[in-house]
Amino acid sequence: MDGLLSGLKTVVDSLGATVLLPIVIFIIAVVLGARPGRAFRAGVTIGVAFIGINLVIGLMFTSLSDVAQAIVKNTGITRDVVDVGWPSAAAIAFGSSVGLWVIPIGIAVNVLLLMTRMTRTLNVDVWNFWHFAFIGSLVVAATGSLFYGLVAAALMAALALLFADWTAKAVQRFYGIPGVSVPHLASAQILPIAIAVNWVIDRIPGLNAINLDTDVIQKKLGVFGEPVILGLAIGLVLGAIGYYDAGDASTVVSKVLQTGMNLAAVMFLLPRMVKILMEGLIPVSEAARTFVQKRAGDREILVGLDSAILIGHPAAISSALILVPIAIVLSIILPGNRVILFADLAVIPFLVAMAAPVVGGNVLRMVIIGTITLAVGFYVATGLAPLFTSAAVAAGFALPEGTTQITSIVDGFLWVSYVVVEAVAGLGIVGLLVLLAVIALCFIAFHRRPAAWERLAGSDDPAPAPAKAPAATPAE
């Protein structure tokens, strides 16, 4: 069995998301009844879209990482917990003892919840099961029990599906992507914070009247409010903050302008990559709808995808870019914080994108919510850093030279990770049972009053009209 699981993990690691996802999409589409030719084209199109999304995100990562390093250097701050980035966290997760089992566990949980009608989401984002494995590996580091870690990973797989169903209508409405949900814990964890903070803002006179969504900004500023120009402007400001002392005047100007143009390109290209993704999703969504209607009436099956499909919206990118310098300032001023952000600042769009439907795309509110989320995250990361480091060492991860403790924004900052680890480390099997009971009760409460839960997530808030997907290619 271990050999089979190890081989499965090796295949997932070697193929990567952009190859694995088209294969999974093709198989699922065929099983659901799509014609093989159309299913094949859908899989390839979705793979191409994710390659495009990753290329643009890579450009953003490079630009933001460079400017963040420059800003950190300018401030002269040092901390003993170093952010090593989400790729390192993923490697640690899949290299852990839990990582060997997480794919069959995640699939089994998904199938069980689909069969019992507790979820509508078919999570095809298999590569991102590493998030479940990572939290499981922290539990193993805290308790020494592989069993506890595996159960924790299974519970996280279920929790991700709960968040996916809860936010599905809001995501589809605001982002204009029909038939999908986002079972991505790193993005979904902001939802309770966003709901609470948005409720408070609604009750603060003056602040509650400020609406800075990107449509309003564009109407007031004209061409200067268009997303591509906003990206340029924010990039120029970040570049100026980071590179003001990078050398002579020509060097400074060059670096600032390059940062501005790179982030303008990100704002312009990401939405177009998402449109390509939508084209590929059409045959899968149609096949799923037909399949379910034949067997279960009007029941809807959602395709669960990576939250990368969300960050192309101008509100998500704009607020995230503004949060980059704020995150660095927080790392300086928060008392007791031991974390310095470095590699993962470019992941901030993933953390804030799910807040956009809650606040109707209001960039100011997203920045406020993001600031509070990051502030909480710094303390979570400081508290979890010893376990994060222990899990990394157990997985054979080589710590950067001169580093004693490490973390990552993606999973090291999540309040979900902290709650799970503290519950299991403090209460053992009782903690796992409490977590199971809470998640089960949330599923039951959601199914009893789905509309109320969905409204909290932003399903009824004013949102942009859904983007029209390209016409589907006739079936082969």
Side-chain angles (χ1 to χ4, degrees):
M1 174 62 79
D2 284 353
L4 177 63
L5 295 177
S6 180
L8 179 61
K9 184 171 80 69
T10 300
V11 169
V12 171
D13 287 344
S14 60
L15 290 180
T18 55
V19 175
L20 183 64
L21 184 59
I23 295 172
V24 173
I25 288 290
F26 169 74
I27 294 172
I28 289 174
V30 170
V31 170
L32 292 175
R35 293 184 179 181
R38 197 175 190 208
F40 181 75
R41 185 183 186 280
V44 172
T45 301
I46 289 173
V48 168
F50 267 100
I51 289 173
I53 289 171
N54 287 337
L55 287 172
V56 180
I57 291 174
L59 174 63
M60 180 176 68
F61 278 18
T62 300
S63 299
L64 286 184
S65 295
D66 290 346
V67 77
Q69 290 176 36
I71 295 173
V72 169
K73 181 181 177 181
N74 292 339
T75 61
I77 62 171
T78 56
R79 296 285 186 269
D80 64 340
V81 180
V82 177
D83 164 30
V84 294
W86 74 263
S88 298
I92 292 165
F94 272 136
S96 69
S97 54
V98 180
L100 190 65
W101 292 87
V102 73
I103 295 175
I105 286 175
I107 293 173
V109 169
N110 197 175
V111 170
L112 175 63
L113 292 179
L114 279 170
M115 292 178 63
T116 56
R117 293 177 173 263
M118 295 302 293
T119 186
R120 298 172 294 153
T121 296
L122 177 61
N123 189 358
V124 302
D125 190 23
V126 176
W127 195 85
N128 271 318
F129 284 12
W130 73 263
H131 294 281
F132 316 146
F134 187 84
I135 294 177
S137 70
L138 292 182
V139 169
V140 173
T143 65
S145 170
L146 175 60
F147 173 74
Y148 286 178
L150 295 176
V151 174
L155 291 176
M156 293 306 96
L159 182 61
L161 294 171
L162 172 64
F163 273 118
D165 287 354
W166 181 7
T167 58
K169 283 191 177 180
V171 165
Q172 292 171 22
R173 176 181 172 81
F174 184 84
Y175 289 102
I177 309 174
V180 304
S181 62
V182 181
H184 200 279
L185 280 180
S187 296
Q189 58 90 33
I190 199 174
L191 187 61
I193 298 174
I195 292 170
V197 174
N198 192 53
W199 184 88
V200 172
I201 292 174
D202 278 338
R203 284 149 184 81
I204 300 177
L207 185 59
N208 61 6
I210 300 175
N211 181 17
L212 285 183
D213 69 39
T214 50
D215 287 341
V216 171
I217 294 172
Q218 186 169 346
K219 287 178 183 178
K220 289 184 176 181
L221 299 181
V223 67
F224 296 102
E226 292 181 5
V228 65
I229 306 301
L230 284 176
L232 174 66
I234 295 172
L236 292 175
V237 172
L238 288 177
I241 295 172
Y243 299 124
Y244 71 89
D245 64 346
D248 57 31
S250 62
T251 301
V252 171
V253 170
S254 174
K255 286 182 174 293
V256 170
L257 291 177
Q258 286 176 3
T259 303
M261 285 304 299
N262 285 346
L263 295 182
V266 170
M267 295 281 275
F268 184 81
L269 293 174
L270 263 180
R272 283 154 176 78
M273 295 302 104
V274 175
K275 286 184 179 180
I276 296 173
L277 176 72
M278 290 166 61
E279 180 182 352
L281 282 172
I282 289 172
V284 184
S285 298
E286 290 177 350
R289 189 179 303 111
T290 302
F291 181 89
V292 172
Q293 285 176 348
K294 287 181 178 178
R295 293 162 178 80
D298 58 354
R299 187 187 179 200
E300 182 183 19
I301 295 295
L302 306 172
V303 179
L305 294 175
D306 191 327
S307 56
I309 65 174
L310 308 182
I311 69 169
H313 193 280
I317 305 177
S318 299
S319 57
L321 296 181
I322 295 169
L323 283 166
V324 169
I326 291 175
I328 295 172
V329 171
L330 287 174
S331 68
I332 299 172
I333 67 173
L334 287 176
N337 169 57
R338 296 169 53 197
V339 178
I340 181 171
L341 295 184
F342 190 67
D344 251 358
L345 280 168
V347 174
I348 292 177
F350 290 86
L351 300 186
V352 300
M354 201 67 83
V358 177
V359 300
N362 189 321
V363 174
L364 176 62
R365 294 194 181 202
M366 291 181 69
V367 170
I368 295 172
I369 292 166
T371 300
I372 293 171
T373 302
L374 287 171
V376 172
F378 275 108
Y379 290 112
V380 168
T382 297
L384 289 180
L387 292 178
F388 195 121
T389 307
S390 296
V393 172
F397 180 79
L399 300 183
E401 186 176 352
T403 301
T404 57
Q405 294 189 22
I406 60 174
T407 190
S408 163
I409 287 183
V410 174
D411 281 48
F413 268 53
L414 304 189
W415 63 264
V416 174
S417 305
Y418 186 82
V419 169
V420 171
V421 170
E422 287 297 309
V424 182
L427 300 174
I429 190 69
V430 175
L432 287 171
L433 292 174
V434 169
L435 291 171
L436 172 61
V438 170
I439 294 172
L441 288 173
C442 286
F443 267 108
I444 293 170
F446 172 70
H447 281 280
R448 284 184 175 177
R449 299 188 64 190
W453 281 59
E454 289 163 351
R455 279 195 298 273
L456 286 174
S459 65
D460 290 341
D461 280 348
K468 292 183 180 179
T473 302
E476 282 82 350

